[in-house]
Amino acid sequence: MEHVVEPEKRVPVVYDVDVCVAGAGVSGVFAAIAAARNGARTVVIDRFGSVGGNIGPGMIVNGQMLPGSPHPDVPFTKTVYPGLFGLAEEFINRYAALGGGLLQPFTKGANFPRGASVASYLLQEMLEESGASILLSTFVADPIKEGNLIRGVFAENKSGRVAVRAKVVIDATGEADVARRAGAPILLPKNEYTALDGHAPTGMGTYYVVGGIAWDRFRAAQKGNEATEDDIAWGTRTIGAALTKAHSYVLPYLRKAVEAGEYEPVAKVLIGGKSVSVHGGGVGQFEGNELGHGQVQVERTEEVNAGDGLHMSALGAAVRAYAFEKVQFFSRYVPGFENAYLITVAPFLGSRGGPCIEGEYTLTMDDCLNGRRFDDVIYLYGEFRALRKTAEAGAPKWVDVPYRVLVPQGVDGLLATGRSASGVPDTLLRNRLAVKVMGEACGIAASMCAVKGVEPRNLEVRELQGALLDAGFYLGDRARLKELSLT
Ligand SMILES: Cc1cc2nc3c(=O)[nH]c(=O)nc-3n(C[C@H](O)[C@H](O)[C@H](O)COP(=O)(O)OP(=O)(O)OC[C@H]3O[C@@H](n4cnc5c(N)ncnc54)[C@H](O)[C@@H]3O)c2cc1C
């Protein structure tokens, strides 16, 4: 690739703070609220005009928001945490009170657009109450570096290039943008991770909403028109077993449309010389109304890099076109969908994994399966698959998440939270309740570093753990706390 040299220029400092959080997504917002509530002058920056990341503008809000999301394979209800606490608990109670759902009797089941609006509104309110500043519609660019020390970030918005000075930067961009641009060691997703988690590597997806559906008529038309063995064999042959399953309820119509050359259920996009597929399942119903929703997924392959601007541009365009064409197919072929139309596609292609920092420690699936204990534990995590497997074997396992997964190798002045933290497979730490808790722990750690004037890697972990316990965190039973000298 050819290069040009960017001329040196004087950049105005728009904020000079203790803690700067890059990315106001699920984890970043909790980090910013925690840092501000703990006395740090804090600013949080996001490229979008609203906060919440994947549960805000991304609109994919309900899954795993609560610890008690029951899974049929897990013989107890607490699949993610031994209980709600801290900011996550406050958030979920206020979210439910605003009609966001999940806690009865407010709503039943998933209604993603309603939940996303509530989440975005509430997170902004909680940020404002905490005293944190919010800088929206601003893209975080390079870190401000003094050798290996990060002391803020450059960002771009309508004003041009701006600078934010900070004692500690938290990288909550999801793809470790700040760490990558700082030249810190980075872990990239690998194809072999699929064996550990079917959503890896990267696991990109976009959400969309459909209106104008007559669900009663749709259901009536299904009777006597179910997919035949022959339809299923056709689907498995032409679109693959997983997609056939996802489309099973409209398979006869899909077959008709494909055979007529009017619809292609798998789109192809050229990414770095490789043809990558973009696909999706059917359209599901919202309770009791004429709305439906669906997700477009991108093939899980290491060729796709969520940290590559050109990949994201090509795939972002492809998923939007795919959502439109899917609704067109439904409206032309599927009874009950004659008047259906695409209401909205979430404004970005989200990821479940992607590049992350190589931390002072990298948490692995093996750690989760073995329920490993770490002396620098900041919270306990029941990773979905590990918890399910170990529960099936009769002894459900929760792993200690060590503080070191937040601390990047090679650079100071930086912590990473959420998907940017250090885990293998890349999707390991993604759980959205867990990233809220991680964000809170990270924000508390950053505020302590800023106030004490210590670098994150030198933070006294027992002091951090003490602050986490004060904030209601669960770090283990009484015996364990004694072992850690925390009682
Ligand atoms: C399709 C899909 C379905 C999912 N389903 C589930 C589920 O059912 N259960 C579950 O637990 N998890 C699920 N997840 C995963 C979960 O949503 C994520 O793991 C979670 O959002 C991670 O939080 P985060 O804060 O790390 O990242 P995000 O929520 O992605 O937030 C990152 C934020 O950083 C901002 N940002 C990024 N780069 C920059 C930059 N350079 N400058 C400024 N701002 C920037 C973004 O705008 C965004 O607001 C799903 C994810 C996807 C994509």
Side-chain angles (χ1 to χ4, degrees):
M1 212 182 258
E2 280 187 60
H3 289 88
V4 291
V5 176
E6 192 176 2
E8 229 178 64
K9 60 180 162 192
R10 290 168 71 82
V11 177
V13 177
V14 292
Y15 286 97
D16 191 343
V17 291
D18 295 322
V19 176
C20 167
V21 183
V26 187
S27 208
V29 168
F30 282 79
I33 297 168
R37 285 198 189 175
N38 280 275
R41 291 168 304 121
T42 303
V43 63
V44 58
I45 308 173
D46 203 278
R47 62 187 162 152
F48 290 118
S50 62
V51 302
N54 214 45
I55 66 168
M59 296 171 82
I60 308 179
V61 66
N62 282 12
Q64 277 80 39
M65 292 271 279
L66 280 176
S69 319
H71 192 286
D73 299 338
V74 179
F76 56 95
T77 52
K78 291 170 179 169
T79 60
V80 183
Y81 278 103
L84 269 176
F85 51 77
L87 285 178
E89 180 175 31
E90 178 183 333
F91 170 78
I92 211 73
N93 285 324
R94 291 173 65 172
Y95 174 80
L98 283 169
L102 294 170
L103 294 186
Q104 302 298 343
F106 301 106
T107 54
K108 280 195 262 167
N111 189 327
F112 289 37
R114 173 174 52 204
S117 306
V118 174
S120 217
Y121 171 85
L122 176 58
L123 292 172
Q124 183 176 314
E125 186 173 74
M126 288 172 71
L127 278 167
E128 284 165 356
E129 287 168 2
S130 75
S133 301
I134 310 172
L135 184 57
L136 295 179
S137 304
T138 299
F139 203 97
V140 173
D142 292 330
I144 300 173
K145 278 183 82 181
E146 296 164 10
N148 279 337
L149 188 58
I150 293 179
R151 278 295 175 252
V153 295
F154 294 108
E156 289 276 345
N157 59 25
K158 282 297 225 182
S159 308
R161 204 155 177 83
V162 294
V164 174
R165 273 208 198 108
K167 292 179 182 150
V168 180
V169 174
I170 295 178
D171 189 339
T173 59
E175 287 81 30
D177 288 16
V178 180
R180 286 187 297 120
R181 290 184 186 223
I186 294 296
L187 300 174
L188 290 172
K190 296 195 178 131
N191 284 339
E192 67 204 49
Y193 294 168
T194 308
L196 299 168
D197 175 2
H199 280 304
T202 300
M204 286 182 178
T206 292
Y207 178 81
Y208 62 89
V209 184
V210 184
I213 307 164
W215 285 107
D216 290 350
R217 226 147 31 72
F218 167 75
R219 263 188 289 278
Q222 301 303 294
K223 294 202 180 97
N225 201 16
E226 290 86 7
T228 61
E229 291 290 317
D230 192 47
D231 288 332
I232 295 167
W234 167 85
T236 309
R237 235 179 11 255
T238 53
I239 57 173
L243 274 183
T244 300
K245 206 170 158 204
H247 281 96
S248 60
Y249 75 121
V250 291
L251 201 53
Y253 308 110
L254 184 71
R255 184 175 185 179
K256 230 165 144 186
V258 172
E259 287 180 345
E262 289 212 351
Y263 181 58
E264 181 49 71
V266 181
K268 295 284 182 187
V269 191
L270 208 59
I271 297 293
K274 180 185 157 78
S275 173
V276 169
S277 64
V278 166
H279 53 83
V283 175
Q285 183 181 6
F286 287 162
E287 248 179 72
N289 58 34
E290 57 162 29
L291 295 177
H293 60 157
Q295 283 184 29
V296 187
Q297 310 285 343
V298 174
E299 184 181 338
R300 285 147 198 176
T301 163
E302 65 188 24
E303 308 287 334
V304 166
N305 182 354
D308 184 306
L310 294 181
H311 290 193
M312 294 310 289
S313 173
L315 290 166
V319 296
R320 302 189 88 73
Y322 184 90
F324 186 85
E325 286 164 14
K326 166 139 292 179
V327 178
Q328 291 278 297
F329 149 66
F330 267 81
S331 69
R332 286 198 197 121
Y333 279 87
V334 182
F337 278 74
E338 293 83 354
N339 298 316
Y341 54 94
L342 183 63
I343 293 181
T344 191
V345 183
F348 73 102
L349 173 57
S351 296
R352 297 170 176 87
C356 68
I357 61 159
E358 182 165 10
E360 288 297 335
Y361 187 82
T362 297
L363 198 76
T364 64
M365 187 61 91
D366 192 53
D367 292 332
C368 298
L369 285 165
N370 287 291
R372 291 221 165 88
R373 305 271 75 98
F374 297 97
D375 279 1
D376 57 338
V377 54
I378 50 172
Y379 64 95
L380 268 71
Y381 182 33
E383 195 283 333
F384 321 88
R385 278 140 219 87
L387 195 57
R388 197 179 311 160
K389 266 196 194 159
T390 53
E392 275 164 8
K397 294 243 167 36
W398 302 70
V399 69
D400 283 357
V401 175
Y403 171 63
R404 284 164 293 156
V405 304
L406 313 182
V407 183
Q409 293 183 19
V411 289
D412 281 317
L414 186 67
L415 284 164
T417 190
R419 293 185 290 112
S420 305
S422 197
V424 163
D426 57 312
T427 48
L428 186 82
L429 292 167
R430 78 175 182 282
N431 177 281
R432 62 170 59 120
L433 174 57
V435 299
K436 291 188 191 102
V437 174
M438 188 198 289
E440 181 173 1
C442 189
I444 292 174
S447 64
M448 290 174 77
C449 291
V451 169
K452 290 172 182 293
V454 298
E455 292 308 323
R457 79 182 68 261
N458 300 327
L459 181 64
E460 179 46 63
V461 168
R462 289 289 174 272
E463 276 185 46
L464 170 63
Q465 290 169 324
L468 296 178
L469 289 174
D470 289 345
F473 277 58
Y474 180 81
L475 303 181
D477 60 18
R478 200 178 268 271
R480 175 68 174 146
L481 294 187
K482 202 163 170 211
E483 203 176 282
L484 294 172
S485 312
L486 287 168
T487 52

